[in-house]
Amino acid sequence: MVKYYAYFFSENRNGICESWKECEKIVSGKQARFRSFKTREAAEQWLKTGAVYEIRVKKELEPGIYFDAGTGRGNGVEISVTNEKGGNLLHKVMPRKKVNRFGKHLLDSDKTNNYGELLACKYALQFALKNQIKKIFGDSKLVIDYWSQGLVRKKFVSAETIKLVTAVAKLRKKFEAARGVIGRISGDDNPADLGFH
């Protein structure tokens, strides 16, 4: 499947690449916003609207909690937890001082995107359990199919990640015991999306 990779530095300096390798050369180590798209038209539309992550093509989504992690703003890994309309929810499950002006949480520089996805899943589970919401969606196969179920190859991850895997797996069991369901959604449709997937 062909993907398009849009990058944005400013109104006068932006573009679209047809491979991640090409886009990565342009944005690596720089303060740029970037995101992948299934169509060139969607990439062009994103650039025309100022490359704002929170603006997306409207699609009718199931009510529920959506989570994601990404590096799209170029400052490191951020996490996002929203409702189906893109409304931020992190400030309802973590201290407000840890939530940035975009309604997201920026992780320490040593954290990976996969760790961020798992942490976002943890906060989505906490919010859903507290508010008796029965559906959670994310776009990470690794987190949904493995890590959030306690399945991790311990020799390949840090002790901190293993500890988080254990905590999230316990939350997921509690959520599923209350008839909650975690499903996957395309990164292109995820209202919590943070840019690159």
Side-chain angles (χ1 to χ4, degrees):
M1 175 200 304
V2 175
K3 276 200 168 188
Y4 298 88
Y5 300 85
Y7 62 89
F8 183 94
F9 290 95
S10 68
E11 290 290 326
N12 299 323
R13 188 172 171 217
N14 59 71
I16 300 171
C17 302
E18 291 187 12
S19 75
W20 168 238
K21 194 172 187 178
E22 180 185 355
C23 185
E24 185 178 32
K25 285 180 188 175
I26 296 168
V27 301
S28 185
K30 300 181 179 89
Q31 291 288 319
R33 286 176 266 170
F34 50 92
R35 189 170 163 207
S36 65
F37 295 90
K38 289 181 182 175
T39 67
R40 179 174 282 280
E41 293 76 21
E44 289 169 354
Q45 182 64 29
W46 185 68
L47 291 173
K48 284 180 189 173
T49 61
V52 177
Y53 291 121
E54 290 78 9
I55 294 175
R56 33 195 340 94
V57 176
K58 298 288 183 198
K59 178 180 177 181
E60 197 68 34
L61 297 172
E62 279 190 72
I65 308 304
Y66 293 77
F67 70 91
D68 191 36
T71 58
R73 275 187 243 280
N75 298 322
V77 177
E78 280 183 301
I79 63 169
S80 173
V81 176
T82 74
N83 61 26
E84 68 277 5
K85 295 177 181 165
N88 292 311
L89 301 173
L90 274 176
H91 66 282
K92 296 183 179 192
V93 288
M94 68 186 313
R96 282 193 180 267
K97 65 182 180 181
K98 292 188 173 190
V99 178
N100 65 24
R101 66 187 174 106
F102 303 106
K104 314 305 179 192
H105 173 65
L106 182 63
L107 303 183
D108 294 335
S109 61
D110 65 331
K111 301 298 186 275
T112 65
N113 192 71
N114 287 332
Y115 181 91
E117 291 275 0
L118 185 62
L119 185 60
C121 182
K122 174 188 170 189
Y123 287 120
L125 284 162
Q126 288 177 339
F127 185 87
L129 284 164
K130 180 180 176 184
N131 295 281
Q132 299 178 352
I133 295 169
K134 302 298 181 195
K135 293 191 177 181
I136 294 176
F137 301 93
D139 55 41
S140 171
K141 180 176 176 56
L142 175 68
V143 168
I144 293 170
D145 294 349
Y146 300 99
W147 284 8
S148 68
Q149 296 188 60
L151 305 172
V152 64
R153 295 171 74 189
K154 294 180 179 179
K155 67 180 184 178
F156 295 108
V157 297
S158 69
E160 186 177 12
T161 299
I162 294 167
K163 185 177 177 183
L164 183 58
V165 164
T166 303
V168 172
K170 285 179 185 175
L171 283 170
R172 181 168 179 170
K173 281 183 183 173
K174 187 176 179 182
F175 176 68
E176 290 176 335
R179 299 188 180 190
V181 177
I182 297 182
R184 286 194 34 229
I185 186 170
S186 163
D188 291 332
D189 297 326
N190 189 348
D193 185 58
L194 283 168
F196 186 72
H197 42 83

